[in-house]
Amino acid sequence: MPVGISIIIIMIMTMTMTTMSEQGTATTKMTPTTTPPLRGLGGEADEGWGEGSVPRPPAPPSLGPLRDPSQQRNGELQTAPLLRLLAWLSPAFPTGAYAYSHGLEWALELGDIANGDTLRTWLADILAHGSGRNDAILLRHAHRTHADAAMLHDIAELAAAVAPSRERQMETLDQGTAFIAAAAAWHPPQLPPRVAYPVAVGALAGSHGIPEDATTAAYLQSFAANLISAAVRLVPLGQSAGLRVLAALEPTILHTAATTRTAMLDDIGGCAFRSDLAAMRHETQYTRLFRS
């Protein structure tokens, strides 16, 4: 290659690299060095952001009942108690609930439950007229007497006695005992060594000042969700169909929670006979996956 052409090529390459370097420098100067404001956190979180130094956004003057417990209205939940209730009734809380079908397994074998509609009807009856209603009454009274060890002992004995079958009694006592053991970090009140599940939940929630109505509704929601989970595995029922059943049961859950507010322990009872019979028949069912 002639020397003249080589010199021209070198000059062109040098000019190109210089131009790219200048463009990169300009781009660097145009790029802001501060973090953009975070939207959706209120006006206080967006103030004070700008070029250069970034001052701490001012804290809001008041967060209402989330900051000041004295501003809590009846029925409202503060943040900390709400977190506890969500943790205690989460499917991940180790009560062993996944191992119990509450007699659903027998009802499925006989064809009483075959799809989402029949499952919804079955569970609505349990919630309004069966063990769901009884659990709500027991929970409420345990909540009110959480500081009375003698009364809690009597309620716990009653809860074990009203279980309509051996497996139903095992189901509630095993879950309640596991619940109290798992909740040791929250310092539950004094309870018998073996305690029914609704009594355990009600007593612990009462000792932490969690509203009775919210605890009752959350417990019934968790109760229904666990049985729907069992049905999803047994029918088989799709996840979407199971969630539709849970959504459809919301009015029943709220109605049961409301109607048990004034119920006494003498009001415990029910007429969900088919469900109770299913729990009894499950004890001798030949092939089964669940403990009840």
Side-chain angles (χ1 to χ4, degrees), residues 5 14 39 54 69-70 113 121 128 139 163 184 186 193 199 216 222 249 254-256 266 274 281:
I5 296 177
T14 303
R39 301 297 173 183
V54 183
S70 66
I113 299 174
T121 302
L139 183 149
W186 288 277
V199 176
T216 305
S222 175
L249 288 173
L254 294 174
H255 179 264
T256 300
D266 290 342
R274 189 73 172 172
R281 295 291 182 87

Side-chain angles (χ1 to χ4, degrees), residues 33-275:
T33 58
T34 58
T35 306
L38 300 176
R39 301 297 173 183
L41 298 179
E44 301 88 49
D46 292 335
E47 295 175 358
W49 293 86
E51 298 290 333
S53 61
V54 183
R56 181 184 299 273
S62 174
L63 293 178
L66 297 181
R67 172 172 290 182
D68 185 0
S70 66
Q71 299 182 33
Q72 181 184 3
R73 296 193 296 269
N74 291 335
E76 284 188 345
L77 277 176
Q78 300 178 54
T79 304
L82 175 60
L83 291 179
R84 293 167 193 162
L85 191 59
L86 290 171
W88 299 338
L89 296 177
S90 165
F93 205 72
T95 62
Y98 64 88
Y100 301 96
S101 79
H102 211 67
L104 280 179
E105 195 166 17
W106 182 84
L108 285 160
E109 183 172 304
L110 266 68
D112 288 359
I113 299 174
N115 50 44
D117 291 336
T118 50
L119 174 65
R120 177 187 55 79
T121 302
W122 184 276
L123 295 182
D125 286 344
I126 293 177
L127 288 166
H129 309 295
S131 56
R133 175 181 174 273
N134 290 340
D135 280 2
I137 296 174
L138 291 165
L139 183 149
R140 285 185 175 279
H141 283 270
H143 188 285
R144 296 166 191 171
T145 60
H146 66 272
D148 188 338
M151 190 62 188
L152 273 180
H153 185 274
D154 291 343
I155 295 173
E157 284 192 339
L158 176 63
V162 298
S165 70
R166 180 182 62 83
E167 286 191 350
R168 281 278 181 87
Q169 186 185 70
M170 174 188 66
E171 177 180 335
T172 189
L173 292 178
D174 285 356
Q175 289 189 74
T177 304
F179 176 84
I180 290 299
W186 288 277
H187 309 292
Q190 184 179 353
L191 289 165
R194 296 270 291 165
V195 60
Y197 188 33
V199 176
V201 174
L204 183 59
S207 68
H208 283 263
I210 301 176
E212 181 184 312
D213 287 340
T215 305
T216 305
Y219 175 89
L220 293 173
Q221 173 86 353
S222 175
F223 174 84
N226 182 66
L227 296 186
I228 291 172
S229 175
V232 166
R233 287 170 278 168
L234 286 169
V235 173
L237 195 69
Q239 292 284 350
S240 297
L243 291 173
R244 284 194 295 270
V245 172
L246 186 60
L249 288 173
E250 286 181 5
T252 304
I253 290 171
L254 294 174
H255 179 264
T256 300
T259 55
T260 56
R261 187 180 295 122
T262 58
M264 305 302 294
L265 291 174
D266 290 342
D267 295 318
I268 289 177
C271 55
F273 301 120
R274 189 73 172 172
S275 173

Side-chain angles (χ1 to χ4, degrees), residues 4-42:
I5 296 177
S6 299
I7 294 174
I8 293 173
I9 292 176
I10 293 172
M11 292 176 62
I12 293 174
M13 293 176 63
T14 303
M15 293 173 61
T16 302
M17 293 176 65
T18 302
T19 303
M20 292 176 63
S21 175
E22 291 175 354
Q23 289 177 349
T25 303
T27 303
T28 302
K29 291 180 180 179
M30 292 174 61
T31 302
T33 58
T34 58
T35 306
L38 300 176
R39 301 297 173 183
L41 298 179

